[in-house]
């Protein structure tokens, strides 16, 4: 297939990409880990946050390493924050942080981040999350009551994506464990399960990689492979093998992000690999486009956005070398880096948080701070000291109905923070 599609195909791809990236109702500001099905980490809207103030904090049981989701769970016109920790899942009132409900989780370690969507078409949102106890849970968004659960063959640290894979008008739950599972959103029964030799703790991204109008699923696996799967069937489309020369490249927590990085009308795949760096793959073939080297663990997942307004996407990622990197999407060359006080396992969120018309980068560090960086230069704009390591990735959304973005994240002291102006 030509890498220079006709104008009609370009428009079709853009429409499909937008549909995938925003497959959510107006009642969902940040419905899943990394914001959308492409896992772009890129929020819509803007804020007025130039000097952060704590709007509220809420103490949960255990470390709050999962990343929050934001949506109107009960249809009252006010957003809730859905947070998770080593102890459970919590629905908190967006404006105040007051607890609406709690669902306990059984495992000693909970990494999966919640996703929000209407699984059964009744107009009421559900919350879906994976667990250390090998189960995937679907909860009633209004009450937190269990709707269904499904037991996989291994611990579930992957974060779910809710997506209509087969075009029947109903959402499937897409999540990884010992296999990549597509579960019927209504019942929790498997639609398909694609085996993985060593399983995965990465979270799947979804997009139309080949322009045929059908979705593909991209997942990174623990055997140092990146897979593209056919969305309706789970059949393998391509795989990319990370070179295994020493030091061994390992995909740990990093999840793929999809975007038209080079502006050619086709989606690329960005993924972080420990002791290797940041890869960009051709979405159509799985071949490597470039590698930006990072010689440390990479547990952060990439975010994609046009940081400097030149029409080309940048790729932003953190690393255990304490740095945040912004890389030119076209060439793979470094645009800027920023050094925090400790390792960075949080994943970046991109958004115009201060209303200046340009994107900022928000990311946590194990030094206990949430950083806001100028997207164009990497210069620090502000930091918020949380007092505990920040593994959680920030979510951006209008939690109080004032029309502006706020920031929500957790830390390893078991605190959920909401920041406002």
């Amino acid at each position: 297939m030509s890498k220079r599609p006709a104008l009609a195909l370009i428009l079709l791809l853009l429409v499909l990409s937008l549909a995938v990236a925003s497959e959510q109702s107006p009642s969902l500001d940040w419905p899943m880990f990394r914001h959308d099905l492409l896992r772009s980490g890129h929020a819509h809207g803007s804020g007025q946050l130039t000097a952060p103030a704590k709007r509220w904090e809420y103490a949960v049981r255990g470390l709050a390493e999962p990343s929050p989701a934001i949506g109107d769970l009960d249809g009252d016109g006010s957003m809730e924050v859905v947070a998770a920790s080593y102890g459970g899942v919590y629905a908190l009132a967006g404006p105040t942080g007051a607890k609406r409900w709690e669902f306990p989780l059984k495992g000693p370690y909970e990494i999966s981040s919640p996703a929000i969507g209407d699984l059964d078409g009744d107009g009421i949102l559900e919350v879906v999350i994976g667990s250390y106890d090998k189960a995937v849970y679907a909860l009633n968004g209004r009450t937190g009551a269990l709707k269904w659960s499904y037991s996989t063959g291994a611990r579930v640290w992957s974060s779910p994506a809710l997506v209509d894979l087969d075009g029947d008008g109903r959402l499937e739950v897409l999540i990884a464990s010992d296999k990549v599972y597509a579960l019927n959103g209504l019942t929790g029964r498997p639609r398909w399960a694609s085996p993985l030799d060593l399983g995965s703790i990465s979270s799947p991204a979804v997009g139309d990689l080949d322009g045929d109008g059908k979705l593909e699923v991209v997942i990174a696996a623990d055997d140092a492979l990146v897979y593209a799967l056919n969305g309706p069937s789970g059949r393998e489309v391509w795989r990319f093998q990370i070179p295994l020369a020493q030091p061994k490249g390992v995909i740990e927590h990093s999840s793929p992000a999809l975007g038209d990085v080079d502006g050619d009308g086709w989606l690329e795949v960005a993924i972080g690999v420990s002791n290797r760096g940041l890869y960009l793959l051709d979405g159509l073939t799985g071949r490597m486009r470039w590698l930006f080297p990072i010689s440390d663990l990479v547990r952060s997942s990439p975010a994609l956005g046009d940081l400097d307004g030149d029409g080309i996407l940048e790729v932003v990622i953190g690393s255990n070398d304490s740095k945040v990197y912004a890389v030119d999407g076209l060439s793979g060359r470094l645009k800027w880096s920023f050094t925090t006080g400790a390792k960075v396992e949080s994943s970046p969120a991109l958004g115009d948080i201060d209303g200046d018309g340009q994107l900022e980068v928000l990311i946590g560090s194990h030094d206990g701070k949430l950083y806001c960086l100028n997207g164009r230069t990497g210069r620090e704009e502000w930091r918020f000291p949380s007092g505990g390591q920040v593994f959680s990735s920030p979510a951006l959304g209008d939690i109080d109905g004032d029309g502006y973005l706020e920031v929500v994240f957790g830390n390893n002291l078991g605190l959920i923070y909401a920041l406002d102006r």
Side-chain angles (χ1 to χ4, degrees):
M1 185 178 293
S2 171
K3 289 295 286 180
R4 297 182 179 275
L7 178 60
L9 182 55
I10 294 176
L11 293 175
L12 174 62
L13 284 166
L14 290 174
V15 169
L16 287 168
S17 295
L18 288 172
V20 169
S22 61
E23 190 170 321
Q24 59 190 68
S25 73
S27 61
L28 293 169
D29 270 18
W30 190 284
M32 65 189 77
F33 178 61
R34 315 303 299 125
H35 181 267
D36 50 58
L37 294 172
L38 299 175
R39 306 290 191 181
S40 72
H42 186 175
H44 307 296
S46 63
Q48 291 190 332
L49 206 166
T50 56
K54 182 177 68 177
R55 183 179 182 90
W56 52 257
E57 69 177 56
Y58 182 84
V60 297
R61 290 183 293 113
L63 282 65
E65 292 194 345
S67 301
I70 302 171
D72 181 5
L73 295 180
D74 51 14
D76 66 352
S78 181
M79 292 290 173
E80 279 76 40
V81 172
V82 182
S85 72
Y86 283 17
V89 186
Y90 302 79
L92 309 175
T96 66
K99 186 174 76 172
R100 296 293 178 83
W101 53 256
E102 174 184 350
F103 180 84
L105 295 174
K106 303 172 185 176
Y109 306 104
E110 301 292 354
I111 307 297
S112 180
S113 297
I116 307 172
D118 184 4
L119 296 180
D120 52 14
D122 65 353
I124 298 173
L125 297 176
E126 281 75 42
V127 175
V128 183
I129 194 166
S131 177
Y132 184 92
D133 66 5
K134 305 182 181 181
V136 181
Y137 295 99
L139 312 175
N140 181 293
R142 286 184 174 172
T143 66
L146 179 67
K147 298 202 73 167
W148 55 256
S149 66
Y150 177 79
S151 293
T152 72
R155 299 165 186 167
V156 185
W157 286 356
S158 172
S159 298
L162 310 184
V163 55
D164 180 7
L165 287 173
D166 52 12
D168 67 351
R170 293 186 179 274
L171 295 178
E172 281 77 45
V173 175
L174 191 62
I175 198 164
S177 176
D178 60 318
K179 304 174 182 178
V180 183
Y181 291 90
L183 306 177
N184 183 302
L186 185 62
T187 65
R189 290 192 289 268
R191 302 295 295 269
W192 53 257
S194 182
L196 300 170
D197 287 344
L198 298 179
S200 174
I201 59 177
S202 176
S203 301
V206 184
D208 183 7
L209 298 180
D210 55 11
D212 66 352
K214 298 178 182 178
L215 298 176
E216 281 75 42
V217 176
V218 181
I219 188 75
D222 291 350
D223 54 5
L225 283 165
V226 181
Y227 295 90
L229 309 175
N230 177 275
S233 69
R235 175 183 54 83
E236 183 179 316
V237 176
W238 55 253
R239 63 171 64 185
F240 174 76
Q241 174 71 64
I242 305 299
L244 295 180
Q246 295 297 325
K248 184 177 179 181
V250 177
I251 302 169
E252 297 187 85
H253 294 278
S254 191
S255 299
L258 312 182
D260 181 9
V261 170
D262 55 8
D264 67 351
W266 300 87
L267 295 175
E268 283 78 42
V269 178
I271 181 71
V273 180
S274 287
N275 301 312
R276 288 292 185 212
L278 176 63
Y279 282 86
L280 189 77
L281 309 180
D282 185 292
L284 185 62
T285 65
R287 297 190 191 99
M288 187 178 79
R289 302 286 290 274
W290 50 253
L291 167 64
F292 176 79
I294 301 173
S295 57
D296 209 322
L297 298 182
V298 180
R299 292 172 173 168
S300 177
S301 298
L304 305 179
D306 183 4
L307 298 181
D308 54 10
D310 66 352
I312 301 296
L313 299 183
E314 280 73 45
V315 187
V316 185
I317 198 165
S319 169
N320 280 29
D321 62 7
S322 304
K323 292 183 179 180
V324 182
Y325 296 96
V327 178
D328 180 86
L330 193 59
S331 66
R333 289 192 293 268
L334 179 67
K335 299 207 76 166
W336 54 255
S337 67
F338 176 84
T339 303
T340 74
K343 59 187 178 181
V344 180
E345 298 184 329
S346 172
S347 299
L350 309 182
D352 179 12
I353 198 66
D354 56 9
D356 65 353
Q358 299 182 9
L359 294 179
E360 282 75 45
V361 176
L362 292 107
I363 194 165
S365 169
H366 278 237
D367 65 9
K369 302 176 181 67
L370 182 81
Y371 290 89
C372 178
L373 309 177
N374 182 290
R376 183 182 293 271
T377 66
R379 176 181 55 83
E380 180 182 326
E381 296 197 350
W382 51 258
R383 64 177 68 181
F384 179 83
S386 77
Q389 296 176 343
V390 182
F391 179 91
S392 170
S393 303
L396 311 182
D398 180 12
I399 63 172
D400 57 5
D402 66 352
Y404 298 105
L405 296 176
E406 286 81 40
V407 183
V408 186
F409 70 101
N411 76 2
N412 284 12
L413 291 181
L415 296 172
I416 307 298
Y417 285 97
L419 305 184
D420 204 345
R421 54 198 168 100

